[in-house]
Amino acid sequence: MSDYSIDEFIRQTKQNYSENDYFELETQRILEVNLLDQVWAKAGAMISYNGDIKFEREGILEHGVGRLFKKAMTGEGSALMKATGRGRLYLADQGKKITIFDLDNETITVNGNDLLAFEPSIDWDIKLMKKVAGMVSGGLFNVTLSGSGRVAITSHYEPLTLLVRPGEPVITDLHATVAWSGHLEPNFKTDISFKTLIGRGSGESIQMEFQGEGFIIVQPFEEIYTTGGQG
């Protein structure tokens, strides 16, 4: 068989039917959800499915008035969809690399634009980034996820984990920060840098400073945040 035949291409890229975990990495950029009941996912992230699955936008009062108010403030009113039923669901987000975490009574905070999916057993809440709301537009919210269950996040290219130690604060670029351990609380600061002076945009001068003990996940990409998925 030719290395470039259609049959060889199918052999190398076809879905793996032997996988049956709740969340599986079908590829580094496609998440397979072996759905038995329900999952929350980023709106617009579905690329394919089989079986009997129903998709719904997050209801107006799905998670209570408090979260509804926060979502209105962030402009993120339709970022989540609920998939219910049984079947195989495939999710992706603009070709970004996917990382799965299996939380065990743990907490992680994720930039709202980088959250792909999570199990319904996970408790979550939106945290507004009020201090930078007047500095950059859109996407100024984080989602804190806690409890036990699977969470899938995305990053542009390979993520890097930075360790924060007492007395050794770590500073990151706002647009390159993907997630951090849930007990860390970032402080925001601005800096007039050389990049700002040559006209690369004021957003790049906003930095996040983390102090204490924990970890931060960053990506080698400065992402322009959006305010919700499409379709």
Side-chain angles (χ1 to χ4, degrees):
M1 186 191 311
S2 168
D3 289 342
Y4 305 106
S5 68
I6 291 177
D7 286 344
E8 178 62 15
F9 174 80
I10 293 173
R11 187 189 69 80
Q12 292 185 18
T13 61
K14 68 181 179 181
Q15 64 194 109
N16 186 346
Y17 287 102
S18 65
E19 297 175 342
N20 56 15
D21 207 353
Y22 187 77
F23 279 11
E24 296 276 3
L25 287 179
E26 184 68 16
T27 73
Q28 289 189 336
R29 304 177 192 280
I30 298 176
L31 176 70
E32 177 187 297
V33 181
N34 290 287
L35 192 61
L36 297 176
D37 182 17
Q38 179 180 308
V39 69
W40 285 100
K42 186 173 184 178
M46 186 276 290
I47 60 171
S48 180
Y49 73 93
N50 58 46
D52 184 14
I53 301 176
K54 180 182 179 181
F55 300 91
E56 298 176 88
R57 291 280 183 163
E58 183 183 9
I60 293 177
L61 296 177
E62 185 87 40
H63 294 101
V65 176
R67 287 179 183 166
L68 172 65
F69 175 74
K70 291 179 183 179
K71 291 167 73 64
M73 291 293 290
T74 60
E76 191 266 328
S78 60
L80 291 178
M81 67 178 180
K82 179 171 59 175
T84 306
R86 299 177 67 91
R88 290 182 185 237
L89 170 63
Y90 296 94
L91 303 172
D93 185 15
Q94 301 181 50
K96 294 163 69 176
K97 180 179 173 62
I98 299 170
T99 301
I100 299 172
F101 294 112
D102 193 354
L103 300 187
D104 182 12
N105 281 328
E106 297 168 295
T107 300
I108 187 171
T109 299
V110 183
N111 183 292
N113 211 43
D114 299 317
L115 179 60
L116 181 63
F118 57 93
E119 289 192 62
S121 61
I122 295 292
D123 188 33
W124 63 277
D125 195 13
I126 293 173
K127 299 288 183 71
L128 303 181
M129 297 165 63
K130 297 177 182 178
K131 293 183 179 180
V132 294
M135 301 177 190
V136 294
S137 60
L140 297 174
F141 65 97
N142 302 312
V143 183
T144 298
L145 305 115
S146 59
S148 297
R150 298 286 175 92
V151 174
I153 69 172
T154 61
S155 62
H156 287 278
Y157 312 109
E158 300 296 327
L160 171 68
T161 300
L162 306 171
L163 299 182
V164 184
R165 299 182 177 90
E168 300 178 15
V170 175
I171 298 171
T172 65
D173 184 288
L174 170 68
H175 298 285
T177 307
V178 173
W180 56 90
S181 45
H183 58 278
L184 292 179
E185 290 288 342
N187 293 315
F188 297 94
K189 56 189 292 186
T190 57
D191 179 45
I192 302 300
S193 66
F194 179 71
K195 289 191 294 184
T196 301
L197 293 176
I198 63 175
R200 286 196 58 195
S202 60
E204 297 184 55
S205 65
I206 303 172
Q207 301 167 351
M208 304 176 74
E209 182 180 41
F210 295 86
Q211 299 191 52
E213 188 169 6
F215 66 86
I216 313 161
I217 302 171
V218 296
Q219 61 186 359
F221 186 93
E222 295 182 25
E223 185 165 17
I224 303 301
Y225 305 141
T226 60
T227 57
Q230 299 296 318

